[in-house]
Amino acid sequence: NAPKTAHLSPRWLSDVKQRIGRCITFGLDPQQTDKAGRILKQLALDWRELVAGSEGFLTDPQRRGLFRQEVVWGEMDSMGHVNNVMYVRYAESGRVQWGRKLGMHIDPANKKAWSELMTPSGTGLILKAITTEYKFPMKYPDRVSVYHKLRSMPDDGQESFILDVLIMSDLQQRPAARCIEDIVIYDYRIGKKTPLPPWMLAVFRDTFRLQEEAKATNSQRVGTLLEEVRRLETETWDTDNA
C-alpha cells in the first residue's frame, strides 16, 4: 500500500518549516510559541523517522544500513555533483550492513549464516538487477543515510525478493535517490537458486510486519503534525481580521 505521505511534496519537511516561520514572523502569543517550538523540535529530532519511517523504512540503529556516512569530495564528478555510480555503491554498502545487522541484533542464533550471505561459501544473496531514480544532485559536503525495506511479505518457496532503498541527504533532509534491488537466493554449494531458508523467512516476515507498523505509526505522526501546523496558521496570519 502506498504511504499516506505519498501525496506530499518531496520537500514537505522544509515546506513545514517555512510555514511555521511565517507564523513566527506574523507574531505568536506564549501558547502559540510553545506549540511552534514543540513542532520544530520534533522535526529536528525525528525527521528521519517522519520521512523514511512513514514509508515503512525501519530507521533504528539495529536495522539501518548506513547512517550519516560522510560524502567525500572525490565522490563528485566533473559536473560538480556526486557521481551516479556512487548511489549504487551507497545502496550496496547499505544492503550488506542491513543483512549483517539482522544477524547481529535480530537473529543472533543464526549470526554466522547471515554473515555468510555476503560470501560464496554457502547460501548467498546475488543482486539480479538494480534500478536507481535520482531525485536531486547531491554535492560535497553532505552525509548520507541508507535504509532498506522488503517490498512484500515473503512466501514459502520464494527464491528471490525485492528491496526498496532510500538514500537520504542530511543537508537537504530528503531522499537524494531511490533504488529497487532484485535479490536472488543462491546456493553456491550446488550452483543454483534456492528458496529462502526457514531462518531467513522467519526474520523477513517479522521485519515486514514491523515495516507496516512503522508506516502506520509515522504516517499518523505526520498527519497530526500537519494538522497542528494548519491550526497554528489559522490562529495567526490566516484569519479574516489578520
Side-chain angles (χ1 to χ4, degrees):
N1 295 326
K4 293 183 179 180
T5 53
H7 68 284
L8 298 177
S9 162
R11 300 173 181 268
W12 72 265
L13 197 70
S14 58
D15 291 343
V16 167
K17 294 177 183 178
Q18 292 177 1
R19 290 168 62 185
I20 295 174
R22 185 177 184 182
C23 295
I24 293 174
T25 301
F26 191 86
L28 305 178
D29 62 30
Q31 185 177 3
Q32 293 165 343
T33 300
D34 181 66
K35 181 188 297 184
R38 284 188 285 106
I39 296 173
L40 290 172
K41 182 179 180 180
Q42 184 179 176
L43 293 176
L45 295 178
D46 300 334
W47 68 270
R48 292 180 182 84
E49 288 71 26
L50 295 171
V51 175
S54 62
E55 296 187 23
F57 292 94
L58 302 177
T59 59
D60 61 275
Q62 296 181 346
R63 298 277 186 169
R64 61 197 181 202
L66 298 182
F67 182 65
R68 304 197 72 236
Q69 176 170 303
E70 188 173 2
V71 173
V72 300
W73 184 86
E75 291 174 345
M76 292 194 297
D77 57 23
S78 59
M79 303 303 292
H81 55 71
V82 173
N83 189 275
N84 288 355
V85 174
M86 292 309 306
Y87 295 89
V88 177
R89 292 181 178 176
Y90 295 149
E92 179 183 54
S93 297
R95 182 176 70 254
V96 171
Q97 290 299 315
W98 176 79
R100 290 189 49 172
K101 286 185 175 181
L102 289 177
M104 288 189 294
H105 305 296
I106 310 304
D107 186 24
N110 293 295
K111 180 179 179 180
K112 185 173 184 293
W114 284 102
S115 180
E116 289 179 347
L117 286 176
M118 311 307 167
T119 69
S121 59
T123 301
L125 303 182
I126 292 181
L127 181 63
K128 177 182 177 182
I130 182 170
T131 59
T132 306
E133 182 181 1
Y134 303 97
K135 295 302 183 180
F136 70 89
M138 194 161 48
K139 299 179 180 180
Y140 167 88
D142 203 341
R143 292 179 181 272
V144 296
S145 297
V146 179
Y147 305 102
H148 282 71
K149 73 173 182 179
L150 295 162
R151 173 162 288 193
S152 61
M153 176 72 80
D155 296 322
D156 292 323
Q158 191 171 307
E159 296 180 340
S160 65
F161 58 94
I162 302 293
L163 289 174
D164 289 305
V165 189
L166 192 63
I167 301 174
M168 299 277 288
S169 160
D170 263 27
L171 187 63
Q172 298 291 330
Q173 293 190 333
R174 61 189 174 99
R178 295 175 183 271
C179 302
I180 301 173
E181 298 176 335
D182 189 350
I183 311 293
V184 172
I185 311 298
Y186 192 82
D187 191 333
Y188 286 96
R189 292 162 296 195
I190 60 176
K192 60 185 297 185
K193 292 189 295 184
T194 186
L196 276 74
W199 49 270
M200 185 186 296
L201 188 62
V203 171
F204 277 7
R205 284 176 171 171
D206 184 58
T207 297
F208 186 78
R209 284 191 289 268
L210 291 174
Q211 289 175 182
E212 292 298 289
E213 291 175 7
K215 182 194 297 184
T217 300
N218 288 292
S219 291
Q220 184 176 18
R221 291 179 65 192
V222 172
T224 300
L225 184 147
L226 294 176
E227 290 173 1
E228 290 180 347
V229 173
R230 183 59 191 145
R231 280 197 296 269
L232 193 63
E233 289 175 327
T234 57
E235 292 171 359
T236 55
W237 65 267
D238 194 10
T239 62
D240 293 335
N241 59 352

